[in-house]
Every structure is written in C-alpha cells, then in structure tokens.
Amino acid sequence: MLVIAFILAVSLLPEGAFLALAAAWLTLAAVSLLARIGPLPMLRGAFIALPFAIAAFPLIFTRPGRPIADVDLGLFTLTLSGEGLIAFATILLKSWVSVQAAALLVFTTPFHDLLEGLERLRLPRLMVAIIALMYRYLAVLTGEATRMMRARASRAAVPPGRKPPHWTWQGRVVGNMVGALFIRAYERSERVYLAMQSRGYAGHLRHLHDRPFPRPQLALLLLALAGLAAFELSAHTWVPRR
C-alpha cells in the first residue's frame, strides 16, 4: 500500500517539480541501501519505462509556449517549446522514479507476500489468481522452450568447414518451434488445471494461516502516509519548480 501511495504521490507532482522528484529518488536510494540492494539494480530495471515515456515525446513540439529552436524537416518545420520540454522531462522522470519504486518492492518482498497484499487491497480474486498462475507457469514454459532448443541443436549440427544453414531455414524452424510451444503450453495448462481441481482449487488462492497486521507496522504505515501527504503539499506550494 505504501508503494502505491508513493507512486500516486509522484504521479500527482506538478510539472517542473524536479527538486521534488530528486528528493523522491534520494528517498528510494536510501531505502534500497537499507535493504542492502543498492540503487544500481533499480536503475537497470527502470529502463523498461523508457519506451512508454517516449509516447510523450510529441509534447516537445505540440505544447504551446516559449519557442527554443526550430527543426526543419523539409516539408514542414517543428518548433521546440520550453514548456513542452519541461512537460516531457517531468513525465519521463515520474515514470522513471515510479518504476524504481515498483522494482524496489519486487526486490524486497517475496512473491506470495505480494499476492497476499493484493488480496488485502481488495483486488479481484480472479486477477490475483491469474497473476499467480502466470508467474508460476513461466518456469514451465522456459523448461519446455529449453528442451526444444536442445532438440533443435542436436538435429542441426554443422560439421567443421561446412556453412551453417541459411537464415530462411532457421526462421522457418523457429516459426515451427513457436507453434509447437504454443500447442504444448495449451495442453500442459489443461493438465495443470485438472490437477488443481483434483486438489480442491475453487477459483482463488488459499492460505494456510491469516497473518494479522501488527500495530507497530500500522503506526509506521500511517506515519509514512502522513509524510507523503506533507511531501505532496510542499511540492505544490513552496518547493521551487523548473
């Protein structure tokens, strides 16, 4: 819940609040050091947000404001505005910090605890079950794909001095492998579902024991939420922008 509140607070920051974004990132870096992870793993994991942030790149040219430079493309000319550049940089940094917060949560929390947290946040049970099965089924798909790759390598050995097969043949083989992997995955999912039903699966995950929420952790959560509220208020009032 705290990570969701943190991401929401970062998302609601005003445009140009770079100092507040820097404070949020320094907080994440400090927490990662306390968790003995370090900021570098989070930085590497945050690059996944770059392709989605590029969707905001047209704001540099479409947001009206103070012109900075002109880009001549022959048929038309694009005007680079300062306000558009600030808006794009804000969206990029917000996405970057938010993904790092999610990565820190994944690095420090076991997967079954994450699922239990999603259930306590009243996420639909069907969605939680889909996430859990998808996570556990990745190992099955990886093992199946590894066996198929090993079988392909054993049937496509190239003697010394001979050229490897043409890329068209390799592409055709890869296409057949993808189709076979889909069929095998579908058949395996049917067998897994039947095995789950025979063991009493009723559409949602069950836990052996229900862990209560300790009062010290509840007090710490409320204190952190109050700190996030103060951070958001200060970012909108007196923290310098741009």
Side-chain angles (χ1 to χ4, degrees), residues 83-169:
E83 284 73 10
L85 185 61
I86 292 174
F88 172 72
T90 304
I91 294 175
L92 180 63
L93 291 177
K94 284 182 179 180
S95 304
W96 188 61
V97 174
S98 300
V99 172
Q100 288 187 69
L104 181 60
L105 175 64
V106 172
F107 289 155
T108 57
T109 308
F111 186 74
H112 62 274
D113 291 341
L114 289 176
L115 294 178
E116 186 175 354
L118 292 177
E119 286 186 350
R120 292 193 176 188
L121 289 175
R122 298 296 186 269
L123 198 70
R125 287 184 172 180
L126 179 60
M127 186 175 297
V128 176
I130 291 174
I131 295 174
L133 294 176
M134 180 181 64
Y135 175 79
R136 290 175 171 86
Y137 203 66
L138 285 177
V140 179
L141 288 179
T142 303
E144 197 72 32
T146 302
R147 287 191 293 270
M148 294 179 66
M149 294 288 291
R150 190 182 300 116
R152 186 194 69 169
S154 64
R155 290 170 175 81
V158 180
R162 297 287 298 275
K163 293 183 178 181
H166 197 262
W167 64 269
T168 55
W169 179 85

Side-chain angles (χ1 to χ4, degrees), residues 159-180:
R162 297 287 298 275
K163 293 183 178 181
H166 197 262
W167 64 269
T168 55
W169 179 85
Q170 296 181 10
R172 184 168 61 253
V173 172
V174 171
N176 295 333
M177 288 175 58
V178 172

Side-chain angles (χ1 to χ4, degrees), residues 31-71:
V31 174
S32 66
L33 291 176
L34 291 176
R36 298 180 180 180
I37 296 175
L40 290 180
M42 296 192 308
L43 289 175
R44 290 194 297 265
F47 281 106
I48 194 175
L50 290 180
F52 302 97
I54 292 177
F57 184 76
L59 288 175
I60 300 178
F61 306 101
T62 58
R63 177 68 66 88
R66 176 176 53 87
I68 296 179
D70 294 331
V71 180

